[in-house]
């Protein structure tokens, strides 16, 4: 006697989407393994999720246009989703939530990681020689990571196998700009940041990176970038940096900035700025209001040297 389909036994209604990263088979019945028409997911396509088979789920019921029947069951690791695996509630983070914009000073970062592709190719006239580069835009609190991500992609991300992660769906213009502003894309940093943080942002890949790039434009057009570019080889203090943020983005903006530093022999190098933000991102002019709406930044170092391109 055949078992009834799992869907009929324990179907949990859901609302969300799944973006296929694998051409998985789409079953009419999980228990019987039936797949009329030999339907598979189209890698890169997004499907409406209408149910899970149980809590926590192993399969999602998705709508596949053109299939008969159109509702099919697929394994949850067939793609990335805005549904929190292990719960019945979709994770849709309001882009007006709290987050951190993490930006690198690339020459200093490269002193700590000279082996990575983007550091082997750095040049004195490159973007990152005199501008801040994007590390990531991180929804807060810090535990908000890997929302609805397949287990295989979580481990690839954590193990540093970033080039094995799914390619991003960006416009040609976004791809070009991101490659410049995020040199780590050569090592797959863009894919890692999407999998770890972007999946919890509550927006598409294009929107997530568009917002991050908007913020980077504002920062790199400001007095803060000029402060760093004008002090290469010199020491600057957190107080200097915060004062520049106040002048560029409004009194009090500097309190929303913390520094990360690394020791390089007898030098302390500023490697990263972490900027706390709160509010809705829509264009580069939002950076100041987003900072002023956020809470103060904590931790970090108090001063460091602005490194120049080239290895010591």
């Amino acid at each position: 006697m055949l078992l009834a389909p799992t869907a009929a036994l324990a179907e949990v209604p859901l609302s969300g989407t799944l973006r296929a990263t694998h051409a998985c088979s789409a079953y009419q019945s999980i228990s019987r393994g039936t797949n009329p028409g030999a339907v598979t997911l189209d890698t890169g396509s997004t499907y409406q999720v209408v149910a899970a088979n149980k809590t926590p789920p192993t399969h999602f019921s998705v709508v596949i246009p053109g299939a008969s029947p159109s509702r099919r069951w697929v394994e949850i690791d067939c793609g990335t989703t805005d549904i929190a695996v292990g719960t019945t509630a979709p994770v849709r983070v309001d882009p007006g939530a709290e987050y951190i914009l993490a930006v690198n000073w690339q020459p200093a970062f490269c002193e700590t990681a000279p082996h990575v592709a983007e550091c082997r190719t750095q040049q004195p006239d490159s973007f990152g020689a005199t501008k801040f580069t994007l590390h990531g835009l991180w929804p807060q609190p810090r535990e908000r990571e890997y929302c609805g991500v397949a287990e295989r992609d979580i481990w690839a991300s954590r193990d540093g196998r970033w080039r094995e992660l799914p390619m991003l769906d960006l416009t040609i213009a976004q791809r070009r700009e991101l490659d410049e502003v995020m040199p780590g894309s050569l090592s797959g940093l863009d894919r890692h940041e999407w999998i770890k943080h972007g999946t919890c942002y509550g927006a598409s890949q294009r929107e997530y990176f568009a917002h991050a790039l908007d913020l980077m434009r504002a920062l790199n057009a400001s007095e803060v970038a000029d402060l760093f570019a004008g002090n290469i080889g010199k020491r600057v203090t957190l107080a200097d940096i915060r004062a520049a943020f106040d002048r560029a983005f409004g009194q009090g903006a500097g309190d929303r900035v913390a520094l990360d530093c690394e020791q390089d022999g007898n030098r302390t190098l500023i490697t990263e700025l972490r900027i706390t933000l709160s509010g809705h991102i829509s264009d580069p002019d939002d950076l100041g209001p987003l900072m002023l709406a956020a809470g103060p930044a904590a931790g970090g170092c108090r001063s460091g040297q602005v490194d120049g391109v080239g290895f010591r």
Side-chain angles (χ1 to χ4, degrees), residues 25-269:
S25 296
Y27 298 104
Q28 180 181 10
S29 167
I30 300 171
S31 59
R32 295 185 177 124
T34 52
N35 181 2
V39 176
T40 60
L41 296 183
D42 184 14
T43 302
S45 295
T46 299
Y47 300 90
Q48 178 188 2
V49 177
V50 295
N53 65 318
K54 59 183 180 179
T55 303
T58 60
H59 292 72
F60 288 140
S61 178
V62 300
V63 177
I64 302 181
S68 180
S70 60
R71 278 190 58 174
R72 297 297 182 101
W73 292 97
V74 297
E75 294 180 358
I76 62 172
D77 63 356
C78 290
T80 57
T81 179
D82 53 5
I83 296 169
V85 176
T87 75
T88 58
V91 175
R92 292 188 179 279
V93 179
D94 179 3
E98 307 289 327
Y99 23 76
I100 288 174
L101 176 67
V103 302
N104 288 128
W105 188 252
Q106 193 69 12
F109 164 77
C110 285
E111 288 285 2
T112 70
H115 60 285
V116 300
E118 61 270 24
C119 293
R120 294 197 303 268
T121 58
Q122 61 175 336
Q123 299 294 329
D125 60 349
S126 64
F127 179 90
T130 56
K131 301 289 186 183
F132 293 107
T133 58
L134 176 63
H135 182 171
L137 181 61
W138 304 338
Q140 297 298 294
R142 187 173 180 177
E143 311 82 61
R144 194 179 292 280
E145 298 176 347
Y146 298 111
C147 293
V149 175
E151 196 72 18
R152 72 187 76 176
D153 290 337
I154 292 175
W155 284 112
S157 172
R158 289 176 172 167
D159 291 346
R161 294 180 284 112
W162 299 345
R163 300 293 296 179
E164 297 178 18
L165 296 170
M167 293 183 66
L168 301 178
D169 175 27
L170 304 178
T171 67
I172 293 174
Q174 283 180 321
R175 181 73 271 170
R176 186 182 300 117
E177 184 176 4
L178 190 62
D179 286 344
E180 179 178 63
V181 178
M182 183 184 265
S185 295
L186 274 175
S187 300
L189 176 62
D190 52 342
R191 305 183 197 185
H192 164 71
E193 288 296 311
W194 167 255
I195 289 293
K196 184 174 182 180
H197 301 288
T199 53
C200 301
Y201 188 69
S204 67
Q205 292 179 355
R206 294 186 181 189
E207 189 174 2
Y208 171 70
F209 283 103
H211 289 170
L213 291 170
D214 277 347
L215 298 176
M216 293 302 297
R217 290 189 205 104
L219 180 61
N220 279 320
S222 75
E223 181 179 337
V224 182
D226 294 340
L227 173 69
F228 272 67
N231 285 279
I232 293 174
K234 301 177 183 178
R235 177 173 292 273
V236 296
T237 67
L238 176 60
D240 295 331
I241 296 166
R242 285 181 167 174
F245 270 96
D246 285 348
R247 291 190 294 269
F249 300 107
Q251 190 64 38
D255 292 334
R256 279 71 179 172
V257 181
L259 304 183
D260 278 349
C261 299
E262 295 283 348
Q263 287 299 126
D264 180 50
N266 62 352
R267 302 185 301 168
T268 300
L269 302 180

